[in-house]
Amino acid sequence: MYKFIKKATIVKSFAIGLFTTALYNTAGAQKDTFLKITMPSAGEFHNNKPAGKGWINLLDTTLWNAEGQYWQLNNGILHGESKAQDQHHYGYTKKIYKDFELNVLIKMTGNEEANSGVCIRIHPDNFDIVPGYQIDMGKGYWGSLWEEGRASMVQKYPDSLAVKLVKANEWNHYYIIAKGHHIQAWLNGVKTIDIIHDEGFLDGNIGIQLCHGRQRYTVVDVKAMYVKEL
């Protein structure tokens, strides 16, 4: 009887140790790391337009602030390009949004250091200094929640899963929900961000980033960007 109790205690202690280790290692990361399609039907696209009513098309030059030498809208596609820059070059909406859903079809090319992000609740000082959230894009950043100029990495999505999920040099779909301090995002149908971040901004502009870097060449094309205010 004593041996049985002792063995059971050892097994239980080992299990608790594994759980504690796993909990520690995933702190700050998206807990549901399975490559499951869990995106709500509200995030679905049909003919490059989101399903349902109430969506506003943001790909309209009258709605944006941007530097013309880095951003152009041609035939309904927003194109951004920067190479070996010391400064960021953001494009962002003139309007400030609070709670919303955002649907984006985006493609990033360039070199291996290319980096961008779908920006939400940003508070630009200029086209270079833009604090706020980025639903990130780039090697080591895809699917993660970054807060520029503030907390940095808020929630990291595992690189081992991102490489299986991202369509390199092709169109990728981000569906984002920002409601209060709760931020959720799906990349190609898989949830990669789900966090309540009490320190983040509760409103701000929506935009796209061209990241700085002397070794970086980033090309971004956006063929669909729709917002629905909640």
Side-chain angles (χ1 to χ4, degrees), residues 144-155:
S144 299
L145 181 62
W146 177 270
E147 192 179 29
E148 182 73 15
R150 290 164 64 83
S152 297
M153 186 62 75
V154 176
Q155 189 168 55

Side-chain angles (χ1 to χ4, degrees), residues 19-227:
F19 174 78
T20 303
T21 300
L23 186 65
Y24 175 79
N25 287 339
T26 57
Q30 166 57 249
K31 302 303 187 295
D32 184 6
T33 55
F34 297 103
L35 292 174
K36 297 186 301 183
I37 303 298
T38 62
M39 184 182 68
S41 58
E44 294 178 0
F45 268 102
H46 299 288
N47 297 321
N48 295 333
K49 293 183 179 180
K53 299 179 180 179
W55 294 97
I56 302 298
N57 183 9
L58 291 179
L59 295 186
D60 180 338
T61 53
T62 66
L63 304 179
W64 282 70
N65 295 310
E67 299 163 283
Q69 65 268 45
Y70 297 103
W71 295 98
Q72 301 88 38
L73 185 65
N74 297 312
N75 299 319
I77 294 179
L78 179 65
H79 176 83
E81 186 170 348
S82 69
K83 187 174 184 178
Q85 296 291 310
D86 292 324
Q87 295 185 336
H88 301 289
H89 298 286
Y90 288 81
Y92 51 87
T93 60
K94 295 177 181 178
K95 182 174 178 177
I96 291 175
Y97 294 87
K98 187 177 180 182
D99 292 346
F100 56 87
E101 298 173 55
L102 186 65
N103 243 320
V104 184
L105 285 176
I106 189 167
K107 176 169 62 176
M108 184 177 72
T109 54
N111 65 12
E112 290 187 357
E113 300 303 317
N115 186 279
S116 181
V118 177
C119 305
I120 64 172
R121 293 181 175 171
I122 53 175
H123 287 236
D125 291 332
N126 51 48
F127 291 116
D128 174 42
I129 302 173
V130 181
Y133 289 129
Q134 291 177 27
I135 316 302
D136 228 328
M137 299 166 54
K139 182 176 63 178
Y141 292 93
W142 277 102
S144 299
L145 181 62
W146 177 270
E147 192 179 29
E148 182 73 15
R150 290 164 64 83
S152 297
M153 186 62 75
V154 176
Q155 189 168 55
K156 169 72 175 171
Y157 188 68
D159 297 340
S160 59
L161 297 178
V163 297
K164 299 175 182 178
L165 186 57
V166 174
K167 301 173 185 177
N169 302 316
E170 296 294 340
W171 297 106
N172 289 276
H173 175 210
Y174 266 133
Y175 172 60
I176 302 159
I177 302 176
K179 190 173 183 180
H181 285 296
H182 191 191
I183 308 296
Q184 300 176 80
W186 288 258
L187 173 57
N188 295 329
V190 174
K191 180 177 274 191
T192 66
I193 296 167
D194 190 349
I195 192 170
I196 295 174
H197 185 234
D198 291 333
E199 295 77 22
F201 292 132
L202 285 171
D203 65 8
N205 308 83
I206 292 170
I208 305 290
Q209 183 208 43
L210 292 173
C211 192
H212 65 27
R214 298 304 299 175
Q215 305 301 317
R216 181 164 286 139
Y217 175 39
T218 301
V219 180
V220 172
D221 290 288
V222 184
K223 70 175 177 180
M225 193 172 197
Y226 289 85
V227 66

